[in-house]
């Protein structure tokens, strides 16, 4: 009732229009005095009370008593962040009450809602809702009026940016065009800009005139008419059609290209000036100093733009840039200047598995940037927040610097969209108490990588997202964190609140009863981005402008992020541009009464809105199945747990082949198998259940299984974990497919009075011949697909990896597979350490294939061996009258990745390194050929060389920081070295390689240029390469940038006969269309690497010399392992057509 009375009083008052801060404060206090005299003048800490007590508003009751899913207690004073985080549990795999794992989307959503509700209650208890509502109304009105004023409407870029935002096809096209043109290399300037303009603006779905309107700004209308006119001259591109023929462009077309190119270039200059303070620190400092002189309440924080370092050269360049900027900023005379530092720009190995190397290195580099002196206007270095998987590393570096360097002050950026934001603040408070000689300041932001965090969590098989999945939840977290900073401003001084949202400003000020003098006395300030939030004056309070500094080439990532933020439908700025008064003053802390969930044992509020992402990252396949669970490498306890875990030791004993007689009993038993149609459905269902249980067992023992793969196949930890996850996906997917498509007879359409059923039944004994490169996942996929169809299965593993095959059978038997349904046959006496066993033809494999007892063979390996198996199966039918056996083969390929000069070099470099060097190049899908545009060759080669130099290649694959381990054997490494010798003798030139020397099976990744001479024929260079080399050797061919020559190169690759994987890195629609349509391959990837196919999402397999059969992990794959019986019955044979008569009226 009291709140209602005060709100009514405030609504009757005239709106305040003056920006003088003291008068505004007086107005707030006078307004509230009659209804709440006790609140005016209350100290800031007076609101730090139990939320259930009297100062909680009626609509802000405490959250239900839900057991905390994560321990929020403070760490011990003598422990570091990793010990503190270790007690809180894994942020990727949290547990619910009682330590129960999160295994459903409903449980994940309820857990997230419970956490956020606790934050909501905390924030709501510390603010005055009446003050917040009135301030929000006033701020929103003033901001709306300012944004839509004639001056801003016609003389600024804000309306234009909002009009062409990412929710329109035209806005997307212009953003993509700007993104691509910024980074086009000078060497490609002759042809690439015009091609980009034609591709992106010539799309048939663009209508620039739809943005023309009488109530819109002159700039919008002029731009819309100009773009529409120029577009009329461009050829129209139809998605999926042929690429543009550049030779047919007339003078008018080329003239329009030139005019539009100049216009777009100038527009980019305007955009750069709007969103960046200057191209270099000197220009930025001059501009910022003018702004501070004009407005005493303004200060600046500088950010040297740039991508994360891919090479050590990049990191050295960025460090020099930071050092130069720090010096220039300190001598310029700013008021309390700041500079942000991205740790990822200072090390190419900023990841948790490289902790031992990167933490000391980054601590030293970061520490060198701090000034020694302190004072009221002292310079502060802020450590920027990056991806959530780098939070532990970032805080470890911060703690190291404070402990070892004791700088007078340091800043840390905290992202409120991270679900560990409050824990991070608690940790920083404890750090500040422990090291009082260093002042730790916090800049609170909402976060800028939300979309990437969501995708990464899904890729890693997490049980929970590390960020809030709803915009409202992030806003709640932000306000809860803001209340914490206000309460602890004596320990964490000078907190900064970065926001453009007027309502958020109102909520924060309401936490000090609207007392702006108190807000500034505590050194608090607001922050906004340069070029954004200018229509809101923050009521004359201190505002720091986050000021990016960099040339247009460095603007790309930052510019795209700003455009996305402006255009997002949930963005305050987007709502402001749309004039949405109804959405401007939304109270995110008000209590809601939505659906209630009890999946974690206690009622909690479930989010009303949906961001469109699954509630649980592993739930991307809906209700059909969960994707495989990952391992949290970032968790502090992982290294110790991994070291203590023993490798899985299979109990199953394979059958050792010492000759054909040793296989006689097995082949005789296989010969007695007869399919039983009557039991086929029950068999398939029971075996599907076995696969599901086996998947759970593998997930339970995933670390032990991974360690076994590392021991036997020489894989790195990341590769081994990914293989275990792939096997789990195979098991669950094939179980679902078998039940859905094989278990029940299919009713076929036919004439009335007749019933026709299609019943699947086992085809017969099945031989699975597996490779060494994926001895667990691929072999498991081959075996499980034949097994679930009801067939007896014999596994013949590669001689180097028998333990993995035995472990597969172990798991399936534990899950309930029938005795005798699976067998493993190995060669000779099984060595104690099987890795590196003999190479070449397998005696056991040849004997099994030639036995004639198998209805089919699944094989993954070389094309030559597949052909031999095919020939042997045919001979069995001719000479032994054996049934015609089916061969399902997946072989290798000369896999091609194409990169033109429109692609972002950093993205190309990442994709190239992952495609050819990951798993030591021992993947069927590994890239063997890079076809590169001459316009970007030099820059790309430099980046690849630097990236390879930063790679760690080691025989010790158990070192968690190892990127590339040894090949499967010394024989394989010798073959790779002989191939390299052959390339060099044929005229190829080595462009790059990793640092270090080959040693036995250790083979360093290499990159060779097959046509190194300028202007030489790329097709002739391809003649040096005929067959696949199963090692990390990349062969580069360079074309002149024309699409005609690119097509000629692709045709030459196709003539090699392989067709497995391929890809293209480009921003040109015409290049993408050309390569997609012309390159013959089974799996094609656009703007990403070409390895790591995912079950169900990216079914894998090729044709030609690269294999036959249906793609593994696809819906139709299991059909190869069954025979079909059609059962047709005349239902009128007795009593006539009863069904027809029933339906006749």
């Amino acid at each position: 009732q009291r709140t209602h009375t005060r709100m009514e009083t405030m609504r009757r008052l005239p709106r305040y229009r003056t920006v003088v801060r003291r008068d505004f404060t007086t107005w707030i206090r006078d307004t509230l005095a009659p209804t709440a005299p006790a609140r005016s003048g209350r100290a800031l800490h007076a609101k730090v009370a139990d939320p259930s007590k009297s100062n909680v508003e009626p609509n802000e009751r405490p959250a239900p008593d839900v057991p905390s899913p994560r321990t929020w207690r403070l760490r011990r004073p003598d422990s570091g962040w990793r010990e503190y985080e270790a007690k809180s549990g894994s942020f990727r795999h949290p547990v619910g009450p009682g330590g129960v794992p999160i295994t459903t989307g409903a449980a994940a959503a309820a857990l997230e809602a419970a956490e956020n509700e606790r934050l909501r209650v905390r924030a709501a208890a510390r603010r005055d809702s009446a003050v917040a509502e009135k301030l929000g109304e006033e701020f929103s009105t003033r901001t709306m009026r300012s944004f839509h004023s004639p001056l801003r409407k016609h003389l600024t870029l804000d309306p234009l940016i909002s009009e062409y935002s990412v929710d329109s096809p035209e806005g997307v096209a212009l953003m993509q065009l700007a993104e691509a043109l910024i980074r086009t290399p000078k060497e490609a300037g002759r042809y690439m800009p015009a091609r980009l303009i034609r591709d992106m603006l010539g799309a048939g779905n663009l209508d620039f005139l739809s943005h023309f309107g009488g109530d819109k700004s002159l700039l919008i209308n002029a731009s819309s008419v100009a773009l529409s006119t120029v577009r009329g001259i461009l050829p129209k591109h139809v998605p999926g059609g042929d690429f543009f023929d550049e030779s047919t462009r007339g003078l008018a077309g080329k003239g329009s290209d030139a005019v539009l190119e100049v216009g777009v270039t100038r527009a980019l200059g305007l955009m750069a000036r709007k969103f960046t303070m200057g191209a270099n620190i000197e220009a930025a400092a001059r501009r910022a100093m003018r702004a501070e002189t004009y407005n005493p309440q303004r200060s600046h924080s500088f950010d040297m733009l740039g991508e994360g370092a891919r090479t050590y050269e990049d990191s050295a360049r960025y460090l020099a840039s930071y050092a130069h900027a720090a010096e220039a900023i300190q001598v310029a005379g700013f008021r309390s200047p700041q500079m942000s530092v991205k740790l990822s720009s200072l090390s190419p190995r900023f990841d948790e598995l490289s902790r031992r190397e990167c933490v000391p290195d980054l601590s030293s580099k970061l520490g060198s940037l701090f000034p020694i002196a302190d004072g009221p206007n002292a310079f502060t270095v802020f450590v920027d927040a990056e991806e959530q998987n780098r939070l532990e590393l970032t805080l470890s570096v911060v703690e190291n610097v404070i402990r070892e360097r004791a700088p007078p002050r340091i800043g840390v950026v905290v992202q409120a969209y991270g679900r560990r934001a409050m824990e991070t603040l608690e940790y920083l408070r404890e750090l500040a108490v422990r090291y009082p000689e260093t002042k730790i300041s916090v800049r609170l932001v909402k976060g800028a990588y939300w979309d990437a965090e969501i995708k990464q969590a899904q890729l890693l098989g997490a049980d929970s997202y590390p960020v809030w999945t709803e915009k409202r939840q992030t806003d709640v977290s932000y306000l809860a964190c803001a209340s914490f900073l206000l309460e602890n401003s004596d320990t964490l001084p000078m907190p900064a609140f970065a926001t453009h949202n007027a309502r958020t400003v109102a909520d924060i000020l309401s936490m000090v009863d609207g007392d702006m003098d108190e807000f500034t006395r505590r050194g608090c300030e607001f922050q906004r981005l340069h070029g954004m939030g200018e229509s809101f004056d923050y009521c004359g309070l201190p505002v720091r402008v986050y000021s990016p500094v960099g040339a247009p080439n460095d603007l790309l990532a930052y510019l795209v992020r700003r455009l996305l933020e402006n255009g997002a439908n949930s963005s305050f700025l987007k709502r402001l541009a749309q004039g949405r008064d109804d959405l401007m003053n939304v109270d995110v802390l008000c209590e809601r009464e939505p659906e209630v969930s009890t999946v974690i044992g206690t009622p909690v509020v479930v989010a009303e809105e949906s961001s469109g992402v699954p509630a649980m990252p592993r739930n991307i396949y809906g209700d059909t199945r969960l994707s495989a669970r990952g391992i949290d490498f970032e968790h502090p306890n992982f290294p110790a747990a991994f070291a203590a875990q023993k490798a899985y030791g299979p109990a199953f004993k394979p059958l050792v082949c010492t000759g054909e007689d040793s296989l006689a009993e097995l082949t005789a038993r296989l010969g007695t198998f007869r399919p039983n149609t009557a039991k086929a459905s029950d068999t398939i269902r029971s075996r599907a259940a076995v696969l599901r249980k086996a998947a759970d067992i593998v997930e339970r023992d995933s670390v032990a299984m991974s360690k076994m793969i590392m021991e036997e196949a020489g894989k790195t930890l990341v590769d081994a974990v990914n293989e275990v996850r792939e096997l789990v996906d195979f098991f669950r997917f094939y179980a679902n497919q078998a039940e859905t498509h094989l278990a029940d007879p299919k009713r076929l359409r036919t004439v009335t009075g007749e019933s026709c059923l299609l019943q699947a039944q086992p085809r017969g004994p099945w031989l699975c011949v597996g490779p060494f490169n994926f001895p667990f996942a691929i072999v498991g996929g081959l075996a499980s697909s034949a097994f679930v169809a009801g067939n007896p299965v014999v596994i013949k593993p590669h001689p180097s990896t028998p333990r993995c095959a035995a472990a597969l059978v172990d798991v399936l038997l534990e899950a309930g597979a029938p005795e005798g349904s699976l067998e493993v046959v190995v060669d000779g006496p099984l060595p104690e350490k099987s890795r590196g066993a003999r190479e070449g033809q397998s005696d056991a494999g040849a004997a099994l294939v030639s036995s004639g007892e198998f209805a089919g063979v699944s094989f993954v390996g070389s094309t030559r061996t597949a052909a031999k198996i095919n020939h042997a199966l045919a001979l069995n039918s001719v000479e032994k009258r054996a049934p015609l056996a089916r061969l399902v083969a997946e072989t290798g390929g000369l896999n091609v990745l194409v990169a033109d000069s429109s692609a972002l070099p950093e993205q190309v470099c990442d994709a190239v390194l992952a495609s050819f060097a990951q798993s030591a190049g021992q993947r069927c899908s590994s890239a063997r050929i890079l076809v590169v545009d001459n316009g970007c060759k030099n820059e790309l080669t430099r980046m690849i060389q630097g990236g390879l130099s930063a790679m760690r290649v080691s025989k010790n694959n158990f070192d968690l920081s190892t990127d590339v381990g040894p090949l499967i054997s010394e024989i394989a490494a010798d073959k790779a070295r002989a191939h390299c010798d052959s390339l060099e003798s044929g005229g190829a030139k080595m462009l790059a390689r990793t640092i270090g020397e080959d040693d036995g099976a250790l083979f360093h990744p290499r990159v060779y240029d097959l046509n190194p001479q300028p202007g030489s024929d790329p097709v002739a260079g391809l003649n040096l390469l005929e067959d696949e080399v199963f090692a990390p050797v990349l062969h580069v061919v360079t074309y002149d940038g024309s699409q005609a020559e690119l097509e000629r190169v692709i045709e030459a690759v196709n003539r090699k006969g392989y067709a497995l994987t391929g890809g293209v890195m480009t921003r040109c629609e015409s290049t993408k269309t050309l390569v997609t349509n012309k390159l013959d391959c089974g799996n094609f990837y656009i703007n990403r690497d070409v390895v790591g196919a995912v079950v169900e999402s990216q079914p894998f397999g090729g044709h030609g010399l690269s294999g036959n059969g249906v793609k593994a992990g696809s819906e139709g794959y299991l059909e190869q392992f069954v025979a079909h019986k059609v059962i047709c019955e005349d239902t009128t044979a007795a009593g006539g057509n009863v069904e027809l008569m029933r339906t006749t009226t």
Side-chain angles (χ1 to χ4, degrees):
Q1 183 178 1
R2 182 183 62 185
T3 302
H4 175 76
T5 304
R6 293 165 58 221
M7 291 299 295
E8 288 298 317
T9 302
M10 297 181 73
R11 288 194 183 96
R12 290 196 295 269
L13 291 173
R15 294 191 183 280
Y16 182 81
R17 300 180 184 277
T18 310
V19 297
V20 179
R21 175 164 51 85
R22 185 171 301 280
D23 291 343
F24 197 85
T25 303
T26 303
W27 174 75
I28 293 173
R29 291 186 181 278
D30 291 345
T31 299
L32 296 179
T35 53
R39 287 179 181 267
S40 60
R42 178 175 43 217
L44 180 66
H45 289 278
K47 290 214 171 186
V48 185
D50 187 341
S52 64
K53 304 304 181 185
S54 59
N55 66 341
V56 182
E57 305 299 341
N59 66 337
E60 295 169 352
R61 63 176 174 79
D65 185 18
V66 181
S68 176
R70 180 180 293 147
T71 304
W72 288 56
R73 58 181 176 270
L74 299 178
R75 64 183 182 84
R76 299 190 311 276
D78 61 341
S79 64
W81 165 260
R82 285 174 65 74
E83 289 78 9
Y84 173 64
E85 177 72 4
K87 293 187 294 183
S88 302
S90 169
F91 75 96
R92 295 204 186 279
H93 304 284
V95 294
V100 178
I102 301 300
T103 57
T104 66
L111 188 68
E112 181 181 20
E115 290 180 359
N116 199 254
E117 176 66 5
R118 220 173 337 272
L119 293 176
R120 187 197 69 79
V121 171
R122 175 175 187 154
R126 286 159 175 78
R127 67 149 190 186
D128 190 313
S129 59
V131 174
E133 184 67 24
K134 189 60 180 178
L135 289 180
E137 181 182 350
E138 179 67 21
F139 291 170
S140 298
T141 300
R142 292 164 59 179
T143 305
M144 182 75 74
R145 186 187 307 122
S146 173
F147 186 89
H148 291 282
S149 66
L151 181 66
R152 183 170 294 278
K153 176 178 179 180
H154 295 291
L155 297 182
T156 69
L157 291 175
D158 289 344
L160 181 66
I161 294 172
S162 298
E163 178 69 25
Y164 285 103
S165 60
V166 293
D167 61 353
S168 70
E170 296 78 22
V172 172
L174 289 175
M175 185 190 74
Q176 291 175 340
L177 179 59
E179 186 183 15
L181 285 178
I182 287 175
R183 296 299 299 270
T184 299
K186 293 180 180 179
E187 295 84 350
R190 177 175 52 84
Y191 53 87
M192 188 52 69
R195 188 181 301 164
L196 285 166
I197 290 169
R198 292 200 309 273
D199 279 8
M200 295 183 180
L201 298 188
N205 64 329
L206 301 183
D207 182 9
F208 290 102
L209 280 182
S210 65
H211 296 268
F212 185 92
D215 60 337
K216 297 180 179 178
S217 74
L218 297 175
L219 187 57
I220 290 176
N221 288 337
S223 300
S224 300
V225 171
L227 287 167
S228 179
T229 301
V230 174
R231 183 179 177 277
I233 308 175
L234 297 175
K236 303 300 182 290
H237 178 260
V238 179
D242 291 335
F243 63 93
F244 294 134
D245 186 354
E246 299 174 359
S247 64
T248 62
R249 298 284 286 153
L251 291 177
K254 293 179 180 178
S256 70
D257 291 346
V259 170
L260 196 54
E261 184 179 342
V262 171
V264 171
T265 302
R266 291 188 177 180
L268 289 175
L270 291 174
M271 297 284 282
R273 180 170 178 79
K274 175 173 177 60
F275 288 112
T276 59
M277 186 60 74
N280 53 57
I281 190 60
E282 288 78 15
R286 289 193 297 269
R287 189 177 177 188
M289 183 57 69
R290 289 194 298 268
E292 289 195 10
T293 302
Y294 175 76
N295 184 352
Q297 292 290 78
R298 180 176 296 181
S299 54
H300 290 82
S301 179
F302 297 92
D303 174 24
M304 309 306 293
L305 289 175
E307 299 289 330
R310 263 68 176 181
T311 69
Y312 287 113
E313 291 77 11
D314 287 343
S315 64
R317 176 167 52 86
Y318 284 128
L319 179 61
S321 174
Y322 284 131
H324 173 67
E327 182 179 356
I329 292 169
Q330 291 179 75
V331 300
F334 290 106
R335 288 186 292 273
S336 62
Q338 298 174 358
M339 180 181 73
S340 294
V341 173
K342 290 183 177 64
L343 295 182
S344 62
S345 67
L346 298 179
S347 173
R349 299 190 62 85
F350 186 39
D351 61 85
E352 189 63 45
L353 295 181
S354 301
R355 165 175 285 272
R356 287 181 304 171
E357 172 187 340
C358 75
V359 169
D361 177 54
L362 287 171
S363 300
S364 173
K365 291 176 178 176
L366 181 64
S368 68
L369 300 175
F370 286 92
I372 299 177
D374 192 15
N377 288 321
F379 173 67
T380 305
V381 174
F382 267 77
V383 179
D384 236 337
E386 301 188 60
E387 297 85 353
Q388 291 293 300
N389 65 343
R390 288 171 165 169
L391 176 61
E392 290 88 349
L393 280 175
T394 299
L395 294 176
S396 294
V397 171
V398 169
E399 185 170 12
N400 261 19
V401 169
I402 293 175
R403 183 177 61 250
E404 296 174 3
R405 300 271 181 156
R409 57 182 65 200
I410 187 174
V412 180
V413 179
V414 176
Q415 297 168 320
Y417 75 176
R419 290 169 64 176
R420 295 175 293 167
M422 187 63 75
E423 292 173 287
T424 303
L425 292 178
E426 291 176 345
Y427 166 74
L428 291 174
R429 180 179 63 182
E430 286 295 306
L431 202 61
V433 172
R434 185 176 167 194
Y435 299 102
E437 64 275 13
T438 297
K439 298 176 183 176
I440 303 176
S441 298
V442 173
R443 178 191 301 145
L444 183 64
V445 302
K446 291 189 178 178
Y449 307 100
W450 183 82
D451 51 342
E453 295 286 2
I454 294 294
K455 180 177 181 180
Q456 187 71 1
Q458 294 176 352
L459 288 173
L460 295 177
D463 291 326
S464 177
Y465 295 104
V467 295
W468 303 107
T469 57
E470 304 293 339
K471 172 68 165 58
R472 183 185 182 115
Q473 293 173 327
T474 294
D475 291 341
V476 167
S477 173
Y478 186 92
L479 293 176
C481 292
S483 72
F484 179 93
L485 289 173
L486 290 171
E487 294 162 15
N488 294 278
S489 58
D490 52 344
T491 308
L492 299 173
M494 297 175 290
F497 306 99
T499 180
H500 302 129
N501 191 317
R503 175 59 199 236
T504 301
V505 173
D507 281 320
I508 292 173
L509 290 177
S510 74
M511 294 176 183
V512 292
D513 287 337
D515 189 344
M516 300 186 188
D517 290 330
E518 176 71 15
F519 184 82
T520 54
R521 274 196 301 271
R522 291 184 170 273
C524 305
E525 66 182 20
F526 290 105
Q527 291 194 8
R528 67 169 177 84
L529 296 171
H530 174 68
M532 296 176 67
E534 296 165 317
S535 54
F536 181 41
D537 59 12
Y538 294 87
C539 307
L541 288 166
V543 176
R544 188 177 299 274
V545 179
Y546 187 81
S547 308
V549 180
N553 281 357
D554 298 320
L555 180 61
L556 174 61
Y558 183 82
L559 172 63
V560 172
R561 183 57 54 186
R562 299 292 79 79
L563 292 176
L564 288 173
E565 288 177 356
N566 273 280
N569 288 328
S570 60
S571 165
F572 179 85
L573 297 177
K574 178 68 173 177
R575 294 169 176 176
L576 181 63
Q578 293 174 334
R580 293 294 304 274
D581 295 324
D582 57 319
L583 298 177
M584 294 286 288
N585 190 30
V586 177
D587 184 5
V588 299
L589 297 183
C590 66
E591 188 177 17
R592 298 167 293 161
E593 296 293 342
E595 173 190 355
V596 173
S597 171
T598 59
V599 293
I600 62 172
T602 307
V604 294
V605 177
V606 179
E608 294 172 328
E609 303 172 354
S610 174
S611 59
V613 301
M616 182 181 185
R618 295 171 57 208
N619 205 27
I620 59 176
Y621 300 107
D623 297 331
T624 58
R625 68 177 178 93
L626 290 177
S627 64
R629 194 172 191 263
I631 292 178
D632 186 4
F633 300 127
E634 291 89 13
H635 194 274
N637 292 341
F638 176 76
F642 176 77
Q645 176 66 60
K646 292 183 178 180
Y648 186 86
F652 181 83
K653 300 301 182 183
L655 174 62
V656 180
C657 176
T658 57
E660 290 191 8
D661 292 341
S662 62
L663 300 177
E665 181 182 346
L666 172 63
T667 55
R669 176 157 43 92
L670 295 174
T672 64
F673 175 81
R674 297 292 182 271
N676 188 333
T677 305
K679 295 182 178 181
S681 294
D682 292 340
T683 299
I684 289 171
R685 285 193 177 88
S686 64
R687 293 193 174 195
V690 168
L691 288 189
R692 290 195 182 93
K693 186 174 180 181
D696 295 339
I697 294 171
V698 173
E699 276 192 339
R700 180 196 67 195
D701 298 332
S702 58
V703 176
M705 300 287 186
S706 299
K707 210 161 188 178
M708 174 191 66
I709 296 170
M710 295 173 70
E711 283 185 355
E712 188 169 55
K715 291 199 169 191
T716 63
L717 172 64
V718 174
D719 286 337
V721 169
N722 288 339
E723 181 166 357
V724 170
R725 293 185 60 209
E726 184 177 3
L727 175 72
V728 171
D729 281 335
F730 270 132
F731 280 3
R732 289 182 177 147
F733 176 70
Y734 287 149
N736 287 349
Q737 290 297 303
E739 286 188 339
T740 302
H741 299 289
L742 302 184
D744 296 320
K746 295 180 181 178
R747 188 168 296 278
L748 307 178
R749 293 182 178 181
T750 185
V751 298
T752 182
E754 192 170 81
S755 169
C756 292
L757 300 177
L758 185 68
Q759 173 68 61
Q761 65 182 35
R763 184 178 285 271
W766 206 273
L767 175 63
C768 300
V769 183
F772 68 81
N773 60 332
F774 283 88
F776 204 52
I778 288 183
V779 175
L782 300 180
S784 61
S785 53
F787 168 81
V788 78
N791 302 302
V793 175
V794 176
I795 301 172
K796 169 56 188 70
H798 189 276
S800 300
T801 55
R803 283 173 57 198
C804 290
L808 282 168
V809 178
D810 243 11
V811 169
L812 289 168
L813 291 175
E814 182 183 348
E819 289 292 335
S821 60
L822 295 135
E823 186 60 80
V824 177
V825 178
V826 298
D827 294 290
L830 186 65
E832 293 183 5
K833 295 183 179 180
S834 56
R835 185 170 180 269
R838 68 177 180 272
E839 298 276 332
Q841 180 67 34
S842 164
D843 296 333
L848 290 168
V849 170
S850 61
S851 69
E853 297 298 338
F854 292 97
V857 176
S858 293
F859 170 76
V860 175
S862 70
T863 304
R864 183 179 181 84
T865 303
K868 289 182 176 180
I869 294 174
N870 203 25
H871 181 253
L873 293 177
L875 285 178
N876 288 341
S877 298
V878 172
E879 299 176 355
K880 301 179 181 179
R881 295 186 58 81
L884 291 172
R886 169 170 292 207
L887 173 64
V888 179
E890 177 197 310
T891 55
L894 289 177
N895 307 310
V896 179
L897 181 61
V898 176
D900 72 4
S901 55
S902 72
L904 186 63
E906 289 86 357
Q907 292 178 353
V908 178
C909 179
D910 292 346
V912 168
L913 294 178
S915 296
F916 97 93
Q918 187 175 329
S919 305
Q922 297 178 119
R923 289 175 176 254
C924 298
S925 57
S926 294
R928 310 300 179 191
I929 301 173
L930 175 64
V931 179
V932 63
D933 182 344
N934 187 59
C936 64
K937 179 181 180 180
N938 292 336
E939 182 178 7
L940 183 57
T941 300
R942 178 190 65 80
M943 294 190 73
I944 292 175
Q945 173 62 73
L948 288 175
S949 298
M951 274 189 178
R952 176 158 300 178
V953 183
S954 172
K955 272 188 172 182
N956 182 11
N957 60 306
F958 278 85
D959 183 338
L960 301 187
S961 65
T962 297
D963 298 308
V964 179
L967 299 188
I968 191 64
S969 66
E970 288 191 29
I971 296 176
D974 290 340
K975 288 181 180 178
R977 285 186 277 269
H979 171 73
C980 294
D981 292 340
S982 175
L983 290 176
E984 294 178 5
S985 64
K989 176 184 177 181
M990 184 186 294
L991 291 177
R993 61 161 291 169
T994 50
I995 297 174
E997 298 298 326
D998 291 350
D999 181 13
L1002 188 67
F1003 177 85
H1004 279 263
R1006 295 156 164 84
V1007 179
Y1008 281 92
D1009 191 345
L1010 300 189
N1011 59 325
Q1013 299 302 319
S1016 57
D1017 185 7
V1019 174
L1022 285 172
N1023 292 333
L1024 294 174
L1025 188 63
E1026 289 299 329
D1027 296 316
E1028 177 187 34
V1029 177
F1030 221 59
V1033 181
L1034 184 67
H1035 310 82
V1036 178
V1037 293
T1038 310
Y1039 73 103
D1040 62 9
S1042 71
Q1043 292 181 330
E1045 180 156 296
L1046 175 58
E1047 183 177 15
R1048 195 168 68 88
V1049 173
I1050 291 174
E1051 289 174 349
V1053 172
N1054 288 342
R1055 288 194 293 271
K1056 301 288 184 182
Y1058 294 95
L1060 190 54
T1061 64
V1064 63
M1065 302 290 295
T1066 182
R1067 296 171 190 269
C1068 271
E1069 189 66 29
S1070 55
T1071 302
K1072 182 178 77 173
T1073 301
L1074 166 64
V1075 182
T1076 302
N1077 292 344
K1078 300 294 183 179
L1079 183 63
D1080 190 18
C1081 61
N1083 287 62
F1084 188 76
Y1085 302 92
I1086 300 171
N1087 291 328
R1088 53 152 289 177
D1089 57 65
V1090 300
V1091 296
V1094 178
V1095 175
E1096 187 174 0
S1097 299
Q1098 300 148 18
F1100 188 75
H1103 50 273
L1105 294 178
S1106 296
N1108 63 1
V1110 182
K1111 290 180 178 295
S1114 68
E1115 288 191 356
Y1117 189 73
L1118 295 184
E1119 296 289 343
Q1120 302 170 113
F1121 304 96
V1122 295
H1124 288 98
K1125 178 183 288 186
V1126 175
I1127 305 171
C1128 184
E1129 178 184 1
D1130 183 353
T1131 58
T1132 67
N1137 195 335
V1138 177
E1139 290 299 323
L1140 184 61
M1141 296 300 293
R1142 285 177 180 171
T1143 59
T1144 302
T1145 58

